[in-house]
Amino acid sequence: MVKLSDIKSGESATIVKIQGHGAFRKRVMEIGFVRGKRVNVILNAPLQDPIKYSIMGYEVSLRRNEANLIEVIPCKDDTATEVADTNHLRTINDSDPVTQAQHESNKINVALIGNPNCGKTSLFNFVSGAHERVGNYNGVTVDAREECFNYKGYQISIVDLPGTYSLSAYSPEELYVRRYLKDEIPDVILNMVVASNLERNLYLTTELIDMDRSMVVGLNMYDELLKSGAKLDYDALGKMIGVPIVPTITKSGEGIPELLDTIIQVYEGKHDTVRHVHVKLGSEIESAIKEIKDSIKASSLPVLQFSPRYLAIKLLEGDREVERMLCNQPEHKEWKSIRDRWVKHIEEVCQEDISSIIASEKYGFISGALRETYEQGEEPRNVKGTEIIDTIVTHKLFGYPIFLMIMWLMFWTTFELGNYPKEWIESLISWLSGIISSYMPAGPLKDMVVDGIIGGVGGVIVFLPNILIMFMFISFMEDSGYMSRAAFIMDKIMHKLGLHGKSFIPLVMGFGCNVPAIMSTRIIESKSSRLITMLINPFMSCSARLPIYILLIGTFFPNHASLVLMSLYVLGIVVAILTARLLRKFYLKKDETPFVMELPPYRVPTLKATLHHMWEKGEQYLRKMGGVILMASIVIWILGYFPRNLEKSNEEMTHQELIEQQQNSYLAKIGHFVEPVVEPLGFNWKVSIAILSGTSAKEIVVSTLGVLYSADSEETSLSDKLTADNPQTGKPDFNPIMAISFMVFSLLYFPCLATITAIVKESGSWKYGAFSIIYNTAVAWIAAFIVYQVGIFIS
């Protein structure tokens, strides 16, 4: 979008939108800078600031950074038509600046802000048709997501910002949200609050009020407030705080049309409730705010992104981000001197630190507003149920066994129930392979389809039911609120490891996929704890490794499947714990941060929501089948198929000749080169190739085995091929000891490229990605070596 500051001297433009807030926005609109008006650039000052403009027959000057907040459409000639009534712009032609201004002014940028678990992402999904992940715990939205949709002639761009409790610079989410509000300047802020927890949720609202921005409050989960018997006069409360309040129930969509209508009214400046209110903070603090605010207003500082009052409050609180914003201003020393004098005085008088006083006054403001508008009902039924359940699941004796039992149940169900559809898919793939083998003419294309594509992709797709079951369990735990309880009971243990209690959630998420799990470490305020959590997360066995486990456990340990599967996950956790201890002791300095995590009320997830989340992961898995795994399978097949003996066709080659041909392939040469490194672990050259193929995605390990062992045996299933005798050695390549060694190595060695990329991006340094590759692989080699050598010794 073109800004008025970009228009050169002598040129003209038509105004589209006025950004900014409060007094600035009101002032420029009063002097004629309104949508549809034509403005001419007269000249720039010698230092290019300020700039003189002509509008509505008279001249006015604006600072360049003020002009940067006015969006315009450049006029290409002097025939542009201007109309007085900006609400009824007439269409002349598609290139007419007035028409373009009307079109552009119908775009509303909305910033969606609220506490964790307030229903922001549910609303985002509902209005935009997106499919963002929704979970009943802190940190689901770890980055901003933007979607556009059309509503009543407007194009609304809605940005779902990370959940945050305040706008301090304490956590990455808080900093991210505040920087977004500073840099992007949305047209309207949509602040979602939970109706059943107003006092806590409205604290963030008071901070947004201090900013003096156009805002609407969405009163979400309003049905829970009504069920409790409570009453809230939300219209009266909205008038008290100067912000329209609209009740909503995002899970059903109730109230959302009214919410969007209100956003449009606020954007157009037509809502009667809107007014700027000062959240009073006590006489002493108000005196301090006034002196700092007046000094800021009298200075050369262009107060555009944040109101002077908000900056004054943050200066009193000693906010580091605001300090950095203002430190280059010539009056900064004066403001700091005023601040220090008042802070010393107030803290001596009140015998309390200034931040605590401001927080108490804000909660006092909220309490006073609710006392006049809110009538408490009976204790909400779900809260009572929550307390009863919490006495059991967070009990110091019962909490851990319950957690372990739930995890064991997840693994048992994943393997046992998933085994039935897995066998059906295996039979289907065998039937398909047989049909193609029977009817397709011999040649490289047939070999690629049967051995490369079906042998590779088919060997992985059979595990789709197991993965869906695991994601169904994880989804249920997240949506129900149990995941936060698991983090709560693990807090003490995590602190003993030198970590934060919040680290537990990214670690559990790692059972699904390490990439979003590493991204979710942003919920951890402590930088050192965040880094350690990132680096140990790859030891959490992601779902991509599950096909490897199910293949080998089902082949060699079918009678103890759930026990072996859970043991692998426990091993990953143990290695992660030891790594965390080593990192905390020798590298990352201890950084204690208080463990503050919301324990939301339990909610019974709908079957539709659980199945929807489960299928989203299944869909990703299937897309991977048709993308990276398909391509990798074909590449592995090509390397194993060539060079080819041109003197013989495929139908002339015996089974033994096919094996010899594979032994002389390009793939075999690569495998034999790596083999000496992995031979002490019980691996041959084929296994080394499978390990290397896991660089792009761990599922490819199974597809690679499927391709490599397609020529060794005439058996149909990959399990049978692995247990069949090797024609060269006369015994199977895989046995129970080697299977355990291979699973341990697959569990611990370097993560996939996507995970490495996430670590580098989130840590801000490539050295942490390199550490993960080198350290994890070394740990995997040592652990697999011990397992194999001890196994051989015992047997």
Side-chain angles (χ1 to χ4, degrees):
M1 177 57 63
V2 178
K3 306 293 186 180
L4 181 57
S5 57
D6 299 327
I7 306 301
K8 298 177 182 178
S9 297
E11 296 180 352
S12 302
T14 302
I15 296 171
V16 173
K17 185 184 295 184
I18 309 297
Q19 295 182 325
H21 66 90
F24 163 76
R25 192 169 188 271
K26 184 178 180 182
R27 178 172 65 87
V28 295
M29 291 178 73
E30 286 173 347
I31 61 177
F33 285 84
V34 292
R35 186 180 67 211
K37 290 297 180 182
R38 179 173 174 174
V39 58
N40 303 305
V41 184
I42 305 300
L43 59 87
N44 284 260
L47 297 179
Q48 303 300 308
D49 203 5
I51 306 170
K52 183 186 288 186
Y53 297 99
S54 171
I55 188 168
M56 296 177 66
Y58 64 94
E59 296 180 350
V60 63
S61 69
L62 294 177
R63 292 176 181 172
R64 181 169 292 277
N65 45 29
E66 291 176 328
N68 196 49
L69 293 175
I70 301 174
E71 295 181 0
V72 297
I73 298 289
C75 295
K76 297 181 180 178
D77 50 49
D78 293 333
T79 61
T81 304
E82 178 185 299
V83 294
D85 183 3
T86 61
N87 291 320
H88 299 86
L89 299 174
R90 56 191 177 89
T91 302
I92 299 173
N93 56 56
D94 290 341
S95 62
D96 173 48
V98 177
T99 305
Q100 293 182 48
Q102 172 65 23
H103 175 72
E104 293 294 333
S105 67
N106 284 348
K107 293 181 180 177
I108 307 177
N109 299 313
V110 178
L112 185 53
I113 298 176
N115 288 186
N117 303 312
C118 69
K120 289 188 306 86
T121 306
S122 295
L123 173 72
F124 179 81
N125 292 344
F126 188 93
V127 298
S128 67
H131 299 290
E132 290 302 308
R133 183 71 179 87
V134 180
N136 192 17
Y137 64 92
N138 186 9
V140 171
T141 309
V142 294
D143 206 344
R145 297 288 183 269
E146 182 175 4
E147 287 286 344
C148 292
F149 62 97
N150 295 315
Y151 181 79
K152 292 189 176 180
Y154 287 86
Q155 186 183 64
I156 299 178
S157 172
I158 187 164
V159 178
D160 182 18
L161 294 167
T164 178
Y165 294 106
S166 70
L167 293 177
S168 67
Y170 181 59
S171 73
E173 292 95 344
E174 293 166 348
L175 200 55
Y176 186 99
V177 172
R178 195 163 72 182
R179 284 177 177 172
Y180 178 88
L181 294 176
K182 172 181 176 291
D183 298 334
E184 301 300 328
I185 314 178
D187 298 315
V188 180
I189 292 172
L190 176 52
N191 175 211
M192 297 300 290
V193 304
V194 178
S196 58
N197 198 352
L198 283 170
E199 189 169 10
R200 207 283 311 283
N201 278 247
L202 286 173
Y203 184 84
L204 176 61
T205 308
T206 63
E207 293 206 303
L208 294 169
I209 289 172
D210 290 335
M211 285 188 173
D212 191 14
R213 297 288 186 89
S214 296
M215 183 165 61
V216 176
V217 169
L219 189 65
N220 197 28
M221 304 179 195
Y222 190 61
D223 54 332
E224 294 186 7
L225 181 143
L226 296 176
K227 286 178 184 177
S228 70
K231 296 179 182 178
L232 175 68
D233 188 344
Y234 51 83
D235 285 331
L237 178 61
K239 289 174 182 176
M240 282 184 183
I241 64 175
V243 180
I245 299 177
V246 182
T248 62
I249 306 170
T250 54
K251 64 182 180 182
S252 66
E254 189 174 338
I256 291 179
E258 292 80 1
L259 185 65
L260 296 175
D261 290 340
T262 305
I263 288 172
I264 292 171
Q265 290 175 343
V266 169
Y267 171 71
E268 294 287 357
K270 297 178 181 178
H271 204 289
D272 296 336
T273 301
V274 176
R275 65 189 180 97
H276 181 51
V277 174
H278 284 178
V279 178
K280 298 297 182 182
L281 302 176
S283 58
E284 293 285 350
I285 292 179
E286 285 296 333
S287 298
I289 290 172
K290 185 178 187 306
E291 186 172 349
I292 298 172
K293 181 184 72 174
D294 290 347
S295 179
I296 290 174
K297 291 174 73 172
S299 72
S300 58
L301 175 70
V303 185
L304 302 173
Q305 290 90 349
F306 297 126
S307 70
R309 178 178 175 85
Y310 176 80
L311 294 176
I313 293 171
K314 288 302 173 184
L315 277 174
L316 282 172
E317 291 178 330
D319 189 284
R320 289 172 293 180
E321 183 77 2
V322 167
E323 289 277 6
R324 280 195 289 269
M325 282 175 55
L326 303 178
C327 65
N328 294 324
Q329 298 300 317
E331 300 89 354
H332 179 247
K333 286 186 178 179
E334 178 188 344
W335 300 333
K336 192 174 179 182
S337 175
I338 298 171
R339 186 272 308 278
D340 293 343
R341 170 166 49 83
W342 273 107
V343 168
K344 182 179 179 182
H345 168 72
I346 292 170
E347 290 186 348
E348 284 178 355
V349 171
C350 301
Q351 293 296 302
E352 193 175 4
D353 69 274
I354 195 90
S355 295
S356 299
I357 298 169
I358 290 174
S360 297
E361 291 291 344
K362 282 182 176 289
Y363 277 116
F365 171 86
I366 295 167
S367 179
L370 291 178
R371 192 174 294 119
E372 296 185 40
T373 57
Y374 180 72
E375 184 180 324
Q376 180 69 52
E378 297 178 2
E379 190 74 10
R381 200 177 309 168
N382 67 330
V383 174
K384 287 183 178 179
T386 293
E387 291 175 355
I388 293 169
I389 297 171
D390 274 348
T391 58
I392 301 171
V393 300
T394 62
H395 193 273
K396 61 181 180 180
L397 294 179
F398 306 140
Y400 298 109
I402 289 172
F403 174 70
L404 291 174
M405 185 179 69
I406 290 173
M407 298 304 289
W408 178 87
L409 179 64
M410 179 176 73
F411 296 133
W412 181 87
T413 308
T414 296
F415 193 91
E416 296 296 333
L417 291 187
N419 219 28
Y420 296 104
K422 172 179 169 287
E423 290 175 355
W424 302 336
I425 297 174
E426 271 183 340
S427 300
L428 180 62
I429 289 171
S430 297
W431 173 82
L432 180 62
S433 179
I435 291 292
I436 293 174
S437 297
S438 300
Y439 291 99
M440 198 169 179
L445 182 60
K446 173 185 175 181
D447 292 341
M448 184 183 72
V449 172
V450 174
D451 298 331
I453 297 176
I454 296 179
V457 177
V460 181
I461 201 170
V462 295
F463 302 107
L464 177 62
N466 307 87
I467 288 172
L468 289 177
I469 291 171
M470 174 168 281
F471 275 117
M472 182 182 70
F473 266 88
I474 293 175
S475 174
F476 185 86
M477 287 192 292
E478 291 171 352
D479 295 346
S480 65
Y482 177 74
M483 194 71 85
S484 291
R485 270 70 185 184
F488 177 78
I489 65 174
M490 293 298 291
D491 179 49
K492 190 172 182 179
I493 294 175
M494 300 302 285
H495 273 295
K496 286 183 178 180
L497 303 178
L499 286 175
H500 196 288
K502 286 185 179 180
S503 297
F504 184 73
I505 284 177
L507 294 178
V508 173
M509 287 179 68
F511 290 149
C513 180
N514 294 138
V515 175
I518 287 167
M519 292 175 67
S520 72
T521 58
R522 298 177 194 177
I523 68 174
I524 304 168
E525 291 87 354
S526 163
K527 183 178 180 180
S528 62
S529 290
R530 191 161 64 247
L531 277 172
I532 293 175
T533 307
M534 279 182 223
L535 294 175
I536 67 174
N537 202 285
F539 292 123
M540 300 295 105
S541 191
C542 67
S543 62
R545 297 177 175 99
L546 195 57
I548 304 172
Y549 305 153
I550 294 173
L551 170 66
L552 296 178
I553 292 172
T555 303
F556 296 101
F557 312 101
N559 297 327
H560 306 285
S562 54
L563 179 62
V564 176
L565 186 60
M566 187 167 182
S567 298
L568 286 166
Y569 280 80
V570 170
L571 175 62
I573 293 168
V574 170
V575 173
I577 289 171
L578 294 174
T579 302
R581 293 285 290 174
L582 290 171
L583 287 170
R584 182 61 81 187
K585 185 173 183 179
F586 295 108
Y587 182 63
L588 292 163
K589 193 188 288 186
K590 198 167 186 177
D591 185 3
E592 290 290 346
T593 307
F595 174 52
V596 181
M597 178 174 285
E598 180 183 14
L599 294 178
Y602 288 102
R603 296 188 177 94
V604 179
T606 64
L607 180 63
K608 181 181 177 182
T610 301
L611 293 178
H612 174 70
H613 298 152
M614 179 188 74
W615 179 244
E616 278 184 340
K617 297 300 180 184
E619 197 175 23
Q620 291 175 16
Y621 190 73
L622 288 173
R623 280 201 298 268
K624 199 181 276 188
M625 296 298 103
V628 64
I629 292 176
L630 174 61
M631 294 305 299
S633 298
I634 293 173
V635 169
I636 294 293
W637 176 84
I638 291 172
L639 291 174
Y641 193 80
F642 295 102
R644 202 73 174 159
N645 188 343
L646 299 178
E647 296 179 0
K648 293 187 176 183
S649 65
N650 279 343
E651 60 183 351
E652 292 174 336
M653 292 183 73
T654 65
H655 184 65
Q656 181 62 34
E657 287 172 335
L658 285 170
I659 293 172
E660 290 175 0
Q661 185 275 325
Q662 191 185 61
Q663 289 285 343
N664 297 318
S665 66
Y666 298 125
L667 199 61
K669 289 180 173 62
I670 298 171
H672 286 305
F673 178 77
V674 179
E675 189 175 20
V677 179
V678 296
E679 197 170 11
L681 314 181
F683 305 162
N684 61 13
W685 71 268
K686 292 183 179 180
V687 176
S688 67
I689 290 295
I691 289 169
L692 291 174
S693 70
T695 302
S696 53
K698 291 296 180 279
E699 298 98 332
I700 297 176
V701 172
V702 173
S703 66
T704 302
L705 291 174
V707 174
L708 290 173
Y709 280 92
S710 61
D712 281 10
S713 171
E714 297 177 355
E715 300 291 343
T716 54
S717 73
L718 183 53
S719 294
D720 293 335
K721 291 175 182 178
L722 296 180
T723 53
D725 289 341
N726 186 319
Q728 291 183 311
T729 63
K731 59 182 180 180
D733 285 350
F734 279 79
N735 57 49
I737 297 172
M738 188 268 183
I740 294 176
S741 174
F742 184 63
M743 287 190 289
V744 167
F745 191 88
S746 300
L747 164 70
L748 302 175
Y749 84 115
F750 61 83
C752 66
L753 287 176
T755 302
I756 295 295
T757 303
I759 291 173
V760 171
K761 182 181 177 183
E762 294 300 317
S763 65
S765 174
W766 62 267
K767 66 181 181 181
Y768 293 112
F771 171 84
S772 189
I773 294 171
I774 297 168
Y775 175 80
N776 291 30
T777 305
V779 168
W781 194 94
I782 293 168
F785 177 81
I786 293 171
V787 167
Y788 184 73
Q789 296 300 330
V790 170
I792 292 295
F793 178 77
I794 293 174
S795 63

